[in-house]
Amino acid sequence: MHDSAKLESAKGMEQVDVVIVGAGIAGLYATYRLRKLGLSVRVYEAGSGVGGTWFWNRYPGARCDIESMEYSYQFSEELQQEWVWSERYAAQPEVLSYLNHVADRFDLRSDIVFYTKVLSAKMDNASGLWVIKTNRGNRIEAQFCIMATGAVSSPRIPDITGLDRFDGEVFHTAKWPKKEVSFTGKNVGIIGTGTSGIQCIPIIAKDAEHLTVFQRTANYYVPIRNYPLDAESQAKIKIDYRAFRQRNQQMPYGYSAGDPMNKGSALDRTPEEQDAEYEWRWQQGGFYFLAAFEDLLRNPKSNATAADFLCRKIRSIVDDPETSEMLCPKIAFGCKRLSMGTDYYETFNRPNVSLVDISDNPITEFTTNSLRAGGGNHQLDCVVFATGFFDMVDALRRIDIRGRSGKRLSDRWEGNRNPTMYLGMVIPDFPNLFVVSGPGSPSITSNMVQSIEQNVDWIAECIDYVRSKNLHQVEAKPEAEKQWADQVDRLAAGTLYHACNSRYVGDSTNNGSRYFMPYLGYPDYVNRCNEVAANGYSGFNMSCRSAVELRSRSERTDGKPGQQQKLQRA
Ligand code: FAD
Ligand code: NAP
């Protein structure tokens, strides 16, 4: 622990400048970045190690879908020069060892308290500080709080009748045990065919006696075409890594597979030309397919050409016509994040693999040794839930976060109100609280390492601004949040992202409405964030310590929340 973190407040509570929740890619970089500003930092992490997503998702086949040379930090030239990736797309153990290396190289662990869950964060209006409490009895005060709790971090196990009486083993891809799991000789069931399912199905199929895949929605899949990375191709990038990163930042999703993006519509090409383009991209593997034509996610007719190509691929690979029809997606191409993996469709030609369509006949219940679904009863020794995660803000909802008015953050998002944030990072009534990769930022539509570094840099600069101007609190204005949310809506309106239920679209169990969460438009988002900062943090109120104390005193005398004091920026 840094010495500066050992301060105690008047209330006998430990005090630091910044508390960070989560030690994934975001929490690690935030720790590094804020320490560089000379601030004392404390990180709480529920897991026993660093890595977040890559700590928890240890399922067989877990691998990144953005190329390793890009799915990595760029904040340190030395780090990006010295780290050597072994594959085009790194597997989970390699990403995790990279993140452990980062934690060691920059001595980040000394500020992280592992195995500790933050239960609450409450704004103490008298001091203008956040008071944070954990499940292990820690109580700490901090001027700033950064929620690096992840947008894909709260695993969802569906509430299925009888699960508690099922005698077999039960796994979730995002809660995978550290010890090796053997499926040899077992009848295995997998529920879910998103990317996690698509990555682990081919590998589990090789071990299992029989694998039954329960599919509710067929998603679009392209081969990832992974291969070992040789020293020469890495050296080519490393000669000018900075330029490589800068170029990628200009791409629509912040990664190189966005280039070349064909301008114009698929409909401007003959069917033969479309096929040639799609075939080239199918052979490239990965996200190149998404950039085949710029109107794929805008024009349903153009979209249908990509869908048709991919269905023809399925029919050419999968032997059984009934199975191949089930695997052909019925949703718009790209409305869910495109899935990629290795030998996914080929796996359905194995004699020990069967596909059960549960779109019309859903799962009804577990018995002690089977799952009733798709109108049949399937004997199982174990079940793997590849059922994904609750929505982007679920990890935040689970913390009792209360702002200036004392209202809970999660209540703000109940009823007809959607989880919105100004710039995807800040929320009115919650001064000095920042969220990384929140709704209203590109987050899950982008190369997330890049988006995370951008968010954290922006937050660090904002904190530095507050402190250097002798201010105490920074808080988003409600009207700025509203305008930002409207802009997020406008960007998504008219796209086919709205055309299906996905992680991009708000969890309809929340309030029944459908709302799009990420900010579409990668370089544009970064420019807008930079403009806000360059304009002296437009859309924010800033208060100095005396104003915060004055407001608190007036609240105590009136018993009413005081007027937010607006100060001239210094
Ligand atoms: P996380 O890695 O989710 O870390 C959040 C941390 O916060 C967790 O460790 C959690 O334990 C901790 N936490 C949460 N709540 C609390 C609490 N109350 N108290 C204490 N600790 C708490 N994105 C890409 O761009 N490319 C990819 O290739 C890619 N691959 C992925 C593969 C998988 C299997 C999954 C699930 C996601 C993938 N993603 C990918 C998205 C991925 O989540 C991000 O790229 C990135 O790892 C997120 O980092 P993070 O630090 O923001 O969040
Ligand atoms: P996901 O994409 O949300 O997929 C979950 C799957 O489970 C879907 O097929 C869903 O069906 C199904 N499902 C959920 N509840 C069900 C129920 N009650 N009954 C039957 N089926 C049910 O989750 P994921 O695959 O874990 O991926 C989550 C996120 O992480 C995505 O953004 C993904 O891109 C990312 N991820 C990335 C990588 C990578 O990049 N390498 C790897 C894994 C995950 P419906 O579609 O019908 O809801």
Side-chain angles (χ1 to χ4, degrees):
M1 178 67 52
H2 279 198
D3 285 348
S4 51
K6 289 181 185 156
L7 286 176
E8 267 196 8
S9 75
K11 292 181 210 138
M13 238 187 271
E14 220 182 321
Q15 202 176 76
V16 288
D17 295 320
V18 190
V19 160
I20 298 169
V21 189
I25 291 173
L28 288 176
Y29 180 49
T31 307
Y32 170 86
R33 188 67 171 77
L34 291 158
R35 272 191 191 171
K36 277 262 180 201
L37 291 177
L39 302 182
S40 56
V41 174
R42 172 69 51 80
V43 187
Y44 292 108
E45 166 54 55
S48 61
V50 301
T53 289
W54 303 99
F55 174 88
W56 297 109
N57 291 263
R58 294 163 189 262
Y59 60 85
R63 184 179 291 288
C64 59
D65 63 2
I66 304 284
E67 300 194 26
S68 317
M69 296 294 287
E70 298 173 53
Y71 191 73
S72 47
Y73 291 116
Q74 53 188 296
F75 68 83
S76 156
E77 184 59 22
E78 294 77 23
L79 172 69
Q80 63 180 6
Q81 286 296 335
E82 75 199 9
W83 185 263
V84 178
W85 292 103
S86 71
E87 294 180 278
R88 181 185 186 193
Y89 297 97
Q92 175 271 333
E94 191 172 6
V95 183
L96 184 59
S97 64
Y98 167 74
L99 295 174
N100 273 292
H101 168 76
V102 171
D104 291 334
R105 195 189 188 290
F106 299 101
D107 180 31
L108 303 180
R109 281 178 222 280
S110 53
D111 281 333
I112 308 175
V113 183
F114 290 107
Y115 212 61
T116 304
K117 225 178 209 172
V118 167
L119 299 180
S120 65
K122 295 181 184 167
M123 172 48 63
D124 173 11
N125 286 330
S127 61
L129 299 177
W130 285 98
V131 177
I132 288 111
K133 294 185 184 167
T134 77
N135 65 339
R136 294 180 69 202
N138 311 77
R139 292 170 78 229
I140 191 166
E141 284 183 325
Q143 187 179 356
F144 301 96
C145 185
I146 300 183
M147 294 294 174
T149 44
V152 194
S153 57
S154 199
R156 182 205 295 265
I157 294 197
D159 188 12
I160 300 174
T161 308
L163 179 57
D164 51 347
R165 66 170 175 254
F166 178 61
D167 283 338
E169 293 168 288
V170 177
F171 302 96
H172 188 287
T173 48
K175 290 182 167 182
W176 205 262
K178 284 186 185 164
K179 68 176 171 56
E180 203 174 317
V181 176
S182 170
F183 293 106
T184 309
K186 293 180 185 160
N187 280 327
V188 183
I190 295 190
I191 304 173
T193 51
T195 309
S196 301
I198 280 175
Q199 288 187 334
C200 67
I201 283 166
I203 295 176
I204 296 178
K206 287 185 190 149
D207 273 359
E209 176 69 22
H210 190 89
L211 175 65
T212 310
V213 177
F214 298 94
Q215 173 189 273
R216 187 165 71 180
T217 306
N219 194 21
Y220 289 93
Y221 158 89
V222 294
I224 196 160
R225 305 221 188 270
N226 190 31
Y227 48 72
L229 265 191
D230 55 33
E232 204 185 322
S233 58
Q234 298 198 48
K236 268 191 202 152
I237 290 175
K238 286 183 178 180
I239 280 180
D240 197 350
Y241 221 141
R242 187 184 296 266
F244 175 75
R245 303 281 197 182
Q246 280 171 352
R247 187 177 150 270
N248 296 338
Q249 273 162 26
Q250 298 311 310
M251 300 297 151
Y253 306 98
Y255 49 72
S256 65
D259 183 39
M261 163 85 78
N262 276 318
K263 301 284 175 210
S265 168
L267 304 177
D268 298 337
R269 310 288 182 95
T270 65
E272 292 73 25
E273 286 167 343
Q274 288 166 5
D275 274 8
E277 188 64 38
Y278 291 137
E279 182 62 35
W280 179 78
R281 287 168 188 272
W282 172 269
Q283 295 304 334
Q284 290 296 305
F287 279 116
Y288 284 95
F289 204 97
L290 208 54
F293 298 104
E294 69 176 350
D295 69 340
L296 282 185
L297 274 147
R298 298 198 167 270
N299 181 338
K301 285 188 178 154
S302 180
N303 189 282
T305 63
D308 178 60
F309 175 88
L310 291 171
C311 282
R312 279 186 276 130
K313 278 285 178 203
I314 297 169
R315 291 182 196 115
S316 72
I317 297 170
V318 179
D319 298 336
D320 174 46
E322 208 181 314
T323 305
S324 65
E325 282 322 300
M326 280 196 268
L327 288 167
C328 279
K330 314 292 180 283
I331 54 180
F333 166 74
C335 66
K336 286 179 192 261
R337 187 166 166 128
L338 183 59
S339 289
M340 45 200 84
T342 302
D343 290 341
Y344 178 60
Y345 292 138
E346 289 80 353
T347 298
F348 291 93
N349 291 334
R350 294 178 67 98
N352 69 331
V353 176
S354 44
L355 180 65
V356 177
D357 182 348
I358 54 169
S359 54
D360 290 333
N361 292 300
I363 295 169
T364 51
E365 61 170 342
F366 275 98
T367 69
T368 53
N369 62 358
S370 71
L371 181 65
R372 294 190 207 279
N377 187 29
H378 307 272
Q379 303 285 319
L380 298 177
D381 300 312
C382 55
V383 65
V384 174
F385 284 99
T387 43
F389 301 82
F390 289 103
D391 74 9
M392 278 175 78
V393 291
D394 194 67
L396 291 176
R397 277 204 190 92
R398 286 169 196 265
I399 304 173
D400 183 4
I401 306 174
R402 289 173 197 251
R404 264 189 323 109
S405 67
K407 289 193 186 129
R408 286 178 69 129
L409 180 59
S410 53
D411 290 345
R412 214 184 133 77
W413 299 332
E414 287 304 313
N416 288 321
R417 285 163 306 177
N418 300 328
T420 51
M421 295 179 191
Y422 181 39
L423 311 178
M425 292 187 268
V426 283
I427 310 152
D429 196 35
F430 295 82
N432 291 1
L433 182 105
F434 298 89
V435 178
V436 184
S437 308
S441 75
S443 184
I444 52 178
T445 55
S446 63
N447 168 2
M448 284 196 73
V449 185
Q450 182 154 294
S451 307
I452 285 168
E453 279 190 88
Q454 182 273 341
N455 268 201
V456 170
D457 283 338
W458 192 94
I459 292 166
E461 279 158 27
C462 180
I463 289 176
D464 196 34
Y465 179 92
V466 170
R467 292 176 64 98
S468 66
K469 301 282 183 203
N470 247 339
L471 295 164
H472 188 60
Q473 283 190 339
V474 53
E475 182 181 336
K477 293 179 185 173
E479 60 272 24
E481 184 203 35
K482 167 86 175 64
Q483 281 164 12
W484 191 262
D486 290 346
Q487 170 72 356
V488 171
D489 271 352
R490 262 195 304 275
L491 289 169
T495 71
L496 295 165
Y497 282 105
H498 272 297
C500 67
N501 285 321
S502 75
R503 291 198 54 71
Y504 303 146
V505 178
D507 197 342
S508 52
T509 53
N510 177 30
N511 59 19
S513 72
R514 284 168 61 78
Y515 50 94
F516 193 81
M517 290 197 272
Y519 188 103
L520 287 175
Y522 189 75
D524 173 54
Y525 169 82
V526 178
N527 295 338
R528 302 230 15 208
C529 290
N530 291 344
E531 271 165 30
V532 167
N535 291 334
Y537 293 92
S538 45
F540 286 88
N541 284 318
M542 303 259 181
S543 319
C544 64
R545 187 180 273 276
S546 57
V548 171
E549 284 167 0
L550 202 67
R551 186 174 64 213
S552 160
R553 272 205 293 278
S554 83
E555 278 167 15
R556 270 176 291 166
T557 11
D558 307 5
K560 283 190 266 168
Q563 276 280 89
Q564 165 78 348
Q565 306 235 4
K566 289 170 202 165
L567 288 189
Q568 294 299 320
R569 283 180 212 108

